[in-house]
Amino acid sequence: MMKKIVLIICLGVLSGIPVIPQESPNYDESRVPSFSLPELLITREGKRISTAAEWMEIRRPEILSLFENNIYGRIPGKLSADFRKVIEQDNNALGGKAVRKQVMLNFRSNNRDLKVNLLIYLPKTGSKVPVFVGYNFDGNQAVVDDPAVFVTSSWIRNDPASGITNNRTTEKSRGTDKTAWQIDKIISSGYGLVTLYYGDVDPDKDDFTDGVHPLLYKDGQTMPLPDEWGSIGAWAWGLSRVMDYLEKDPDIDASKVAVIGHSRLGKTALWAGALDPRFAIVISNNSGCGGAALSRRMYGETLGGMNRYFTHWLCDNCSRYDNDVNLLPVDQHMLIALMAPRPVYIASAEEDKWADPKGEYLSGYYATPVYELFGKQGLPSPEMPPVNSPVMNTIGYHIRSGGHAVLEYDWDQFIRFARMHFGK
Ligand code: GCU
């Protein structure tokens, strides 16, 4: 057993696949089991859905609650920021091209405070601007080379090579993630960027005494109930609270907000988009298992494997399906369908087999009948497009060459997709 895990780890390192020890992940298309997906357009009572109104009124709420109860968990209560404050602003940031704001949202409940720090760059257009909003992995200071950005003081995973010890990051991490954010390109395309460190909302570890969870515990509660939110649910909640702020910021066009996320944060962006229709466009990059990829394909990462290694991401009820994913009443095409009729973009990377690019594509394909109810075009063909040949309908998709990352190529497509749909 140990030997097998070591072998998988070595193969993972060599192939650039994110390394998670999991027994024999399948990377062989001929070993994908045959499966049937849960019906998208037939209600629990057996009624066939044939109009957009029936979808919105009957089937969509059913599916949303299946995802809440079986995958991501319910958000157990309401909590809004008790104050929001612009703590720093520079109207000549990035060499004079942009306005930078750093905003703090504070949440208070059960005698605790949670502080969430937004970093915002806006092009100087003289009018309200559309924005991309998304979590970052390493703190706001890592997103750009800008010495004025506050260094996060939240818990962060140790990484001595990058100077992270005692779970605190340092000045050394400034700009280390800038390739994934492409701030100059975003600003010069007329878009703003709103980003925040995901660990502000919930540190990424199996510990439910920190982050937002305890703020919504009932008396005596110490961890979420089996159908209540895991960390992905908490991060999705946080994105909606950012949206609450964006609706109040006079410089932002809150009707044109594209939520974006990579990998575990791509799963989060999709769940946030499903829960909150104020996100006008939803973009997931390399989101894989528990994100855009169909769970029943059992290719690369599996839901059971994810629940074993990232025990805090999904709700506890989800582990019921660890040994037989076919018992799940949903699959991830239904998550994509929850965005309809809003534009949704799914991005894959050729070498990111762990995330199952074909499974990510097929979710968009199988969600398409719902888009068609609205007279919109999804992904009409079951065949994936060639590498580096994006498809841009109301559902957009690309698979680019290379591995698990957000690259300039990805941003070029996201901006093009936003322009198509925001009309700019
Ligand atoms: C791991 C995990 C994935 C996740 C990724 C990430 O590889 O297995 O599900 O998407 O980490 O977030 O980087």
Side-chain angles (χ1 to χ4, degrees), residues 248-262:
K248 301 217 155 55
D249 188 316
D251 301 325
I252 291 174
D253 182 349
S255 71
K256 292 185 177 162
V257 175
V259 64
I260 180 168
H262 168 61

Side-chain angles (χ1 to χ4, degrees), residues 103-277:
V103 175
M104 193 177 78
L105 310 181
N106 190 77
F107 300 88
R108 168 149 269 264
S109 173
N110 287 344
N111 288 324
R112 284 172 177 256
D113 281 300
L114 182 79
K115 295 193 188 326
V116 172
N117 299 287
L118 312 185
L119 171 64
I120 303 178
Y121 288 101
L122 303 173
K124 295 201 226 166
T125 60
S127 52
K128 285 174 178 270
V129 294
V131 295
F132 290 97
V133 55
Y135 282 116
N136 59 69
F137 279 92
D138 300 318
N140 294 345
Q141 78 291 338
V143 167
V144 280
D145 270 329
D146 181 343
V149 176
F150 303 130
V151 176
T152 182
S153 58
S154 295
W155 181 95
I156 192 159
R157 194 173 306 284
N158 281 335
D159 180 3
S162 321
I164 305 176
T165 53
N166 298 322
N167 302 111
R168 291 289 175 268
T169 194
T170 64
E171 285 288 328
K172 223 176 141 184
S173 62
R174 280 197 188 282
T176 46
D177 204 19
K178 63 182 176 197
T179 320
W181 289 98
Q182 301 289 325
I183 188 67
D184 290 331
K185 177 164 291 214
I186 295 171
I187 295 293
S188 58
S189 307
Y191 287 84
L193 175 66
V194 180
T195 184
L196 65 161
Y197 173 51
Y198 77 136
D200 278 8
V201 173
D202 189 26
D204 192 358
K205 55 187 159 104
D206 193 351
D207 174 355
F208 286 103
T209 65
D210 56 12
V212 66
H213 293 97
L215 277 76
L216 284 174
Y217 285 157
K218 309 276 180 303
D219 279 351
Q221 189 176 3
T222 54
M223 59 181 297
L225 297 174
D227 68 341
E228 287 180 349
W229 53 351
S231 290
I232 291 179
W235 298 324
W237 168 87
L239 289 169
S240 285
R241 302 295 69 79
V242 174
M243 188 71 202
D244 297 344
Y245 167 78
L246 301 181
E247 290 185 320
K248 301 217 155 55
D249 188 316
D251 301 325
I252 291 174
D253 182 349
S255 71
K256 292 185 177 162
V257 175
V259 64
I260 180 168
H262 168 61
S263 210
R264 67 198 68 182
L265 300 177
K267 310 179 205 301
T268 301
L270 290 172
W271 183 227
L275 287 173
D276 192 336

